[in-house]
Amino acid sequence: MHFIDLKAQYGLLKSRIDARIHNVLEHGCYILGSEVFELEEKLAAFVDVKHAITCANGTDALTLSLLALDIKSGDFVITTPFTFFATAEAIAFSGATPIFVDIEEATFNIDPCLLGETLERCNQAGVNVKAVIAVDLFGLPASYDDIEPICKSFGVSLIEDSAQGFAGKLGTRKAGSFGDIATTSFFPAKPLGCYGDGGAVFTNNDELANKIRSLRIHGKGEDKYDNIQIGINSRLDTIQAAVLLEKLSIYPNEIEKRQLVASRYASELKGTPLITPTVPDGFKSVWAQYSLLAPSEEKRNLYMMALKEKGIPSAIYYRKPLHLQSAFEYLDYHEGDFPVTERISETIFSLPMHPYLSVEDQTLVIDTLKLCLDE
Ligand SMILES: *Cc1c(COP(=O)(O)O)cnc(C)c1O
């Protein structure tokens, strides 16, 4: 059994993807070929945002966003300690200092109440918070109905890190459209992935969009030998854009297939000591991961071992919260600072989740878990 089955997806799209790649090899515009711009138009339309700007990966998408917002040394940026390292890494890389805010127990996403309190405290202490990066962890959009007005009232920019949540929903709005700038990743294992590294930035703001288009090509001006600012080199390869054009066409269908797997897991594991993920009313997850809470760390190890014995892969996202990573020792956080994150990191684990997970495989996962729950 696969944790994520990319080969099954390729099998389905093989002739179309092969033809698309072959076409790029023939036309020879390997950097910023027409497929890149065609993809950008389709991505923007898909999440209903004015501008989509592709780049080399999801980490660069965050870096480009922070550069576009002029975030630099001396600035502070708030984010969650329960995310992939890249979210906070991009903040530190920009020269700014990350400030962590704990998550909600039910959604694993940044807690809007704590965010408001932290912004208030920073305000009073004269700490210059420039932006907030909210993360759509495991595919579920953060609580933007609360987060957006809080950021507005404090005059700080909001970045949505939707590397795991692209096109999830809150009401009628899609993930990839929240905040001043949204970012995503096309790393192969993300819900919408390519066959290498890739990423994109989304915004409705013309000025930010123009700036990001320049920043991704060494801060170019009129042409690439006219440089108006210090940028980076971060473009999506034309071949990856070609792959993504085909993958995007089946992505809505794949999102629905993921819902079926998630609801089967949820209904079958209901009433067991395992806590299945909460999707609040009005939200839709794209299920980058299906993450459960075990009653204890010891039990988690037992469940994962039992799954492994049956050939079922499982994983832990994330075992070590960011405030306890040695790379962030200089921020002087300590164990106990973010109790919800710390507690969850001790008991969380993720089950196989992808659109092509067969009913038989789902049954094997569920039965294996139930068997060891009875013991
Ligand atoms: C994967 C991921 C990133 C980084 O994306 P890359 O394409 O691997 O650079 C950033 N944030 C989150 C939440 C991610 O899951």
Side-chain angles (χ1 to χ4, degrees), residues 22 43 54 75 105 130 181 231 239 249 261 312 325 345 352:
H22 189 75
L43 288 171
T54 54
D75 297 334
E105 182 108 39
K130 278 275 195 67
I181 305 181
I239 286 182
S249 71
V261 179
I312 303 167
Q325 295 284 353
S345 69

Side-chain angles (χ1 to χ4, degrees), residues 127-279:
V127 173
N128 189 20
V129 178
K130 278 275 195 67
V132 170
I133 305 182
V135 178
D136 305 334
L137 203 73
F138 304 145
L140 181 72
S143 302
Y144 294 103
D145 284 343
D146 300 319
I147 296 170
E148 282 180 332
I150 292 170
C151 288
K152 273 218 173 76
S153 73
F154 284 92
V156 303
S157 301
L158 174 61
I159 298 171
E160 176 195 12
D161 178 351
S162 202
Q164 301 181 13
F166 185 63
K169 273 178 139 183
L170 202 190
T172 56
R173 296 171 67 193
K174 277 190 184 149
S177 73
F178 297 103
D180 299 282
I181 305 181
T183 66
T184 198
S185 163
F186 302 125
F187 180 80
K190 307 287 176 173
L192 178 62
C194 56
Y195 292 153
D197 279 308
V201 182
F202 302 84
T203 183
N204 283 310
N205 182 311
D206 297 341
E207 202 183 316
L208 286 173
N210 283 337
K211 204 163 167 194
I212 292 163
R213 284 199 180 95
S214 158
L215 286 167
R216 76 169 163 180
I217 311 177
H218 306 288
K220 81 176 183 75
E222 288 299 306
D223 62 64
K224 67 176 172 177
Y225 299 107
D226 172 34
N227 303 94
I228 54 171
Q229 57 189 330
I230 303 298
I232 60 177
N233 173 17
S234 186
R235 294 164 301 223
L236 180 72
D237 295 347
T238 309
I239 286 182
Q240 300 302 342
V243 169
L244 281 165
L245 278 166
E246 291 308 324
K247 290 218 197 183
L248 181 62
S249 71
I250 61 161
Y251 187 50
N253 183 260
E254 289 189 338
I255 293 174
E256 294 317 308
K257 288 196 159 90
R258 287 172 186 267
Q259 306 305 317
L260 297 179
V261 179
S263 49
R264 174 107 195 278
Y265 279 155
S267 66
E268 297 269 2
L269 296 171
K270 208 168 133 184
T272 71
L274 290 168
I275 300 176
T276 54
T278 306
V279 179

